[in-house]
Amino acid sequence: MLKRGTIVQWLVLLTVVALSGVLYSLVVYGERPLIGAIFSLSICMPLVALERRMIFPRFYNWLHGLSTPAYLAMSLLVYYVTIFIGFAAAGAFLKSAGIIREPWIKTLILPWEVVVYSFAVGSGINFVLRVRELLGRDIFVSLLTGRYRKPVREERVFLFIDLVGSTSFAEKYGDLRTQQYLGTLFNVLAEPVRRHDGAIDDYIGDAVIITWPLKRGLRDARCVRCVFDIIAEIEKRSALWLGTFGQMPRLRAALHGGEIITAEIGVDHHKIAYFGDTVNTTARLESLCRTLGHPVLISQELATRMTLPDDIRAEYLGDHAVRGRGQPLGVMALTSMRQTQPSNILPLARPAE
């Protein structure tokens, strides 16, 4: 089932594309706005679907794996072919339905001005979507609206995930291989984060910082489900990890939430940054995974504010001193009842690296 945010996004896209067709018809022909909208949707939406990997995902991955000159040349060809097919399909439909009366040859042959206009609209939409994907949905909207131009006090959930053994992997296989390893891991965890409405805030070496507004992260325990869905996604690809990299990724993860200050910082390069004890405490909690011998930890403060899923067991580990925090932190270990010592998470009582 499509989520509300996804439905709204596609409705906005459809509206923008249709309005671009209406505008073209009114400016060029001075009439037939509905026909312009149909042509525009038929031409541009396949381009958007291709760029969003909704159609031909393997071809998309192959295309983006080409060298830059080959990629640019092939992209132009793909765009032209897609525009041509979309135009011909819309023309054939409208002609068959008796909505337009032009000769078949004029209906199916693509005018050059339509090519230029379609390239401009399709490329513009895909550029905006690519920037949104690069920055993250929440950050893109926040930067666009200027929400954090002045510091804002709010509550958020933070999830810190760290890859175990990356240093030894780099020593064994080299930096290039390690980067491929990390890139594959980050690609795998992106989908569970998206599925649970989180936002990847930053990549720091072999670690990932994921965040939610507090209410969104607590709703249906999304922040907790996200952790174990990431683990499950890694487990599903065991053949890939073992065949390509010779080992399974093992993770440490920590969850904590509370009040922070959010602000937009930077001059030439802008960024949404989070300040406060909550962020630091989450980082310290992740380091406790080593000493306590548990791969997934959550602060008691955060755990008591949500109803955990039935298949997640929480074990109270007591209060622990956390560097930089004046009072001890209640700590709980989370375990999935569906998994028994999975190979991709840190075993109990593992010595610190």
Side-chain angles (χ1 to χ4, degrees):
M1 179 182 295
L2 290 176
K3 295 181 180 179
R4 180 180 177 183
T6 304
I7 294 173
V8 171
Q9 174 187 325
W10 281 102
L11 286 175
V12 171
L13 276 174
L14 289 169
T15 302
V16 170
V17 171
L19 287 176
S20 71
V22 170
L23 178 64
Y24 180 84
S25 290
L26 292 177
V27 170
V28 176
Y29 300 107
E31 57 181 352
R32 305 193 299 182
L34 178 59
I35 293 175
I38 293 173
F39 269 108
S40 185
L41 288 169
S42 181
I43 291 171
C44 292
M45 290 313 295
L47 294 175
V48 174
L50 177 65
E51 288 291 342
R52 303 304 295 168
R53 284 168 273 193
M54 298 184 68
I55 58 175
F56 309 122
R58 292 184 179 179
F59 175 76
Y60 176 92
N61 293 333
W62 172 81
L63 183 64
H64 282 255
L66 297 174
S67 64
T68 300
Y71 167 75
L72 291 175
M74 187 60 70
S75 294
L76 290 173
L77 177 61
V78 169
Y79 264 52
Y80 180 82
V81 171
T82 305
I83 292 169
F84 177 83
I85 294 174
F87 182 87
F93 167 75
L94 293 171
K95 177 69 173 176
S96 300
I99 299 175
I100 58 177
R101 303 187 181 281
E102 283 85 349
W104 275 102
I105 188 68
K106 190 175 181 180
T107 301
L108 301 178
I109 296 300
L110 187 60
W112 69 268
E113 61 269 20
V114 173
V115 176
V116 173
Y117 191 75
S118 299
F119 261 99
V121 174
S123 299
I125 291 174
N126 284 322
F127 174 77
V128 172
L129 291 175
R130 187 65 61 86
V131 172
R132 178 181 180 273
E133 186 178 76
L134 180 66
L135 296 176
R137 179 191 62 187
D138 291 346
I139 294 175
F140 176 75
V141 173
S142 297
L143 288 173
L144 198 64
T145 59
R147 177 183 178 188
Y148 296 117
R149 289 289 174 86
K150 294 182 179 179
V152 174
R153 189 184 303 273
E154 61 182 4
E155 289 188 305
R156 298 190 75 89
V157 176
F158 288 91
L159 166 61
F160 278 47
I161 294 179
D162 189 28
L163 175 64
V164 178
S166 59
T167 302
S168 59
F169 186 93
E171 290 174 351
K172 184 176 181 181
Y173 296 105
D175 291 338
L176 180 59
R177 191 66 169 160
T178 302
Q179 185 55 49
Q180 294 171 341
Y181 184 46
L182 289 172
T184 304
L185 175 63
F186 294 158
N187 287 339
V188 168
L189 66 81
E191 178 52 35
V193 173
R194 188 181 302 115
R195 189 162 61 241
H196 292 286
D197 287 332
I200 296 176
D201 173 59
D202 208 354
Y203 301 100
I204 305 175
D206 60 358
V208 184
I209 302 175
I210 301 164
T211 183
W212 294 259
L214 186 69
K215 289 184 178 179
R216 188 196 301 170
L218 295 180
R219 189 180 302 125
D220 198 29
R222 284 174 175 167
C223 57
V224 172
R225 294 181 187 274
C226 182
V227 177
F228 290 97
D229 275 7
I230 289 172
I231 294 172
E233 288 291 333
I234 293 173
E235 283 288 314
K236 279 174 21 180
R237 292 167 170 79
S238 59
L240 166 67
W241 300 114
L242 296 175
T244 306
F245 301 105
Q247 67 180 57
M248 291 282 291
R250 292 179 290 114
L251 308 178
R252 286 189 292 257
L255 280 158
H256 181 54
E259 188 176 273
I260 49 102
I261 300 297
T262 307
E264 181 180 334
I265 61 172
V267 180
D268 293 329
H269 173 68
H270 289 251
K271 173 180 170 58
I272 304 298
Y274 306 104
F275 304 92
D277 176 68
T278 297
V279 181
N280 298 328
T281 299
T282 311
R284 306 289 183 261
L285 183 61
E286 187 273 318
S287 66
L288 279 178
C289 290
R290 302 191 220 187
T291 55
L292 298 180
H294 287 272
V296 183
L297 298 180
I298 186 173
S299 67
Q300 186 182 25
E301 295 175 17
L302 183 62
T304 55
R305 300 179 73 170
M306 74 180 93
T307 301
L308 294 174
D310 294 335
D311 58 347
I312 301 298
R313 181 172 64 88
E315 177 187 355
Y316 181 61
L317 303 179
D319 292 348
H320 294 267
V322 176
R323 183 162 55 90
R325 182 182 167 98
Q327 56 189 15
L329 179 70
V331 178
M332 305 179 76
L334 298 179
T335 308
S336 173
M337 304 300 289
R338 294 173 296 177
Q339 297 170 322
T340 56
Q341 193 66 31
S343 59
N344 64 313
I345 59 177
L346 183 63
L348 299 182
R350 178 178 175 83
E353 293 180 310

